[in-house]
Amino acid sequence: MRSTDETIQFGGDRDRSRVRETDTTSKAIPPVADSRAPRAPRIDAVQVLDALRNAIAVVGSDWRIQHLNRQWERIFGRPSADVVRRDLFTAFPFFADEHTATMLRSARLDGAARHFDLELRSGSAVERYGVRVVCSDERLIIEVSEARGASSGDAGGDYDAAEAASLRRLARQMAAVSDTRELLELLCTAASEQCNATGAAVLRGTGEEGEVVSAAGAMTLGLERRFPLEGSVAQEALQSRGVVSVEEFTVSQRPLARIVPDLRIGPMLAAPLIAHDRLLGVLTVVRGERSPAFSPREAQRLAVIADHAALAMWKAELLEQSRAADRAKGRFLATISHELRTPLTALTGYEELLADEVMGPLTEPQTDVVERMRSVTHHLTVMIEEVLAFSSIEAGREIVRATDFLAADLIRAAMAIVEPLARQKRLRLASDLPADPIRLTSDIDKVRQILVNLAGNAVKFTEQGEVRISLSEGHTTGEVAGGERREIRFAVSDTGAGIAPEDARRLFRPFSQVDAGLTRRHGGTGLGLYISQRLAQLLGGRIDVHSELGSGSTFTLVLPAD
Ligand code: ADP
């Protein structure tokens, strides 16, 4: 039977009388049996505790301190007489910190040992300690080791350069992975290696349940298994927001150990994955049954890995969300523009019937109105075609169909399309074509679309002067793998307002316009240049821009000759 009296029994002459001595049966350290000696020698518990290298505190179930050894007095600078029988958290407030207090309480609740780190600040210096807590007969035995030369033999304290470099390498590797699944696999393998473990896993909690979402080594058996969070190491790590250490996972019958009895796990460390104050899961590393416990240094290493991993997971999640949003936007645009195109096509047909006077003769004002209707309908159709082209490029549906054609023919076709607007604005439309015809092999529809976009913009953004399309042939400049290549240049220049250098690059982004306000003078979607650049790239070429504010712009489509 367990005694309800919360005192500790110390034998020998040096018994410190601060500790009440009432129970002489259950709490004293039993005499050591010796067959030769007629009487067993008494062992002085106080002397034994004082001889230990680590600081020891014994705390009763009412959280009052029952005993401190000499090392404790030395490390924490408080004489035993001042604090014995006082509340632990009042006497040593750093134990009241959320993570530490959770560790102490859970050790008392389930009787399993806990390991964790304690960081104490004095001025700018930070002292690190490793703490081990065990519960014996409702008493907590708190053992504090100074991080340097910790009892595990794994010298703790500051990370050495090699360790820091390897953690940095891991952080960089994780940051480079954008797929969450791949990231978790990398994390499990790396955490297992770095903490000298035989397995690792990432657990996620949703509501009342936890799930093993990724696993390596000895934890693979638990992959995709669900378990109640209540009473689990994962829940402890999530609640305390610190590293939790368990000595015998399977023996302590944690929920996951009950659900997957074949796991046969001994020591386990669990670190919460927290990024931007959001709990993303728990990272655990494990060793087989009866293996040595993880050291405070390894716990510290796991905490660092978990911090880096949480940021990488956060980034991967955001990226996944933005890709999903992008896909949804693409689908929305494609559906809407497709639905709009059908009635617009019908409208164009009716307008043509009216304009051709099939429905009867029109008066002059009626002809004028029909012309305006046709112009607006055409404008809308062009915009919708642009949005459809954008969706198609984004979805990777554009295919190159190459044919052989004369470049000059294409320039004439593009000029014919923009000619009505140029005439309306009284702009001169000119071309410079070389004497020798230039042939090229490319997708004629896509090249035409690019030229019409560039020439259309030139006319749209020029108020007086001219728009000129020049054709020339040259060779690639700079280093090109496989030697120089022949290229064809279509330069569309205008005498318009020009573009400031800081704006020029941005205009090739989708939906980007220099004058994007509601009061802008020119209509348009801001997609033309983006589509043109993407199509040019699809054809193995590019669009260069040269422009100065006030002196016009030149957009050059450069294509490989074959
Ligand atoms: P949109 O013409 O539908 O606005 P574009 O992608 O074709 O979309 O062009 C993006 C922006 O680039 C235009 O809104 C305009 O501000 C600028 N731009 C394009 N071509 C010219 C040009 N030739 N001269 C001046 N600005 C231009």
Side-chain angles (χ1 to χ4, degrees), residues 59-267:
V59 179
S61 64
D62 55 359
W63 296 105
R64 285 178 194 280
I65 299 167
Q66 294 184 349
H67 182 75
L68 303 179
N69 72 348
R70 284 213 189 292
Q71 282 292 63
W72 190 289
E73 292 179 322
R74 185 186 65 75
I75 291 183
F76 297 111
R78 302 283 305 267
S80 233
D82 288 0
V83 285
V84 162
R85 302 202 61 75
R86 283 187 58 196
D87 177 70
L88 171 76
F89 302 110
T90 321
F92 298 103
F94 42 83
F95 281 113
D97 160 80
E98 198 184 338
H99 174 233
T100 312
T102 310
M103 292 291 109
L104 298 179
R105 288 201 185 94
S106 25
R108 164 154 287 154
L109 274 179
D110 59 19
R114 296 288 189 288
H115 293 257
F116 55 91
D117 288 341
L118 191 64
E119 281 190 354
L120 299 186
R121 281 170 201 284
S122 60
S124 61
V126 179
E127 294 287 348
R128 281 204 186 89
Y129 302 96
V131 183
R132 179 172 184 270
V133 191
V134 284
C135 183
S136 156
D137 258 352
E138 293 220 348
R139 275 196 188 106
L140 280 189
I141 318 293
I142 306 175
E143 182 186 359
V144 177
S145 60
E146 285 169 283
R148 227 172 273 279
S151 56
S152 62
D154 174 340
D158 297 338
Y159 292 117
D160 57 37
E163 178 169 336
S166 115
L167 286 176
R168 270 203 305 277
R169 218 171 20 252
L170 172 62
R172 270 201 302 275
Q173 270 178 326
M174 289 195 290
V177 181
S178 56
D179 177 71
T180 304
R181 206 187 154 92
E182 204 181 310
L183 175 66
L184 296 187
E185 280 167 14
L186 169 71
L187 173 60
C188 287
T189 320
S192 182
E193 267 173 33
Q194 297 265 352
C195 298
N196 307 311
T198 54
V202 174
L203 320 169
R204 291 218 203 220
T206 39
E208 312 273 284
E209 269 197 336
E211 186 188 354
V212 183
V213 290
S214 189
M219 283 301 285
T220 315
L221 267 180
L223 190 59
E224 291 179 2
R225 299 301 293 267
R226 289 169 179 274
F227 58 93
L229 271 181
E230 188 60 39
S232 67
V233 181
Q235 190 187 42
E236 245 176 69
L238 290 171
Q239 280 176 352
S240 69
R241 292 182 163 233
V243 179
V244 174
S245 170
V246 175
E247 278 185 6
E248 287 297 338
F249 179 75
T250 302
V251 173
S252 68
Q253 281 294 292
R254 297 297 187 138
L256 182 62
R258 286 200 304 273
I259 286 180
V260 196
D262 290 345
L263 266 180
R264 318 277 5 134
I265 299 294

Side-chain angles (χ1 to χ4, degrees), residues 386 453-454 457-462 494 496-499 507 509 512-515 520 522-530 547 553 555:
E386 270 187 356
N453 269 342
L454 298 183
N457 274 347
V459 172
K460 187 157 96 178
F461 297 104
T462 303
D494 62 57
I499 305 164
L507 297 177
R509 294 191 207 134
S512 185
Q513 297 173 314
V514 171
D515 178 14
R520 67 202 166 115
H522 306 280
T525 55
L527 282 173
L529 284 179
Y530 172 75
S547 184
S553 320
F555 286 82

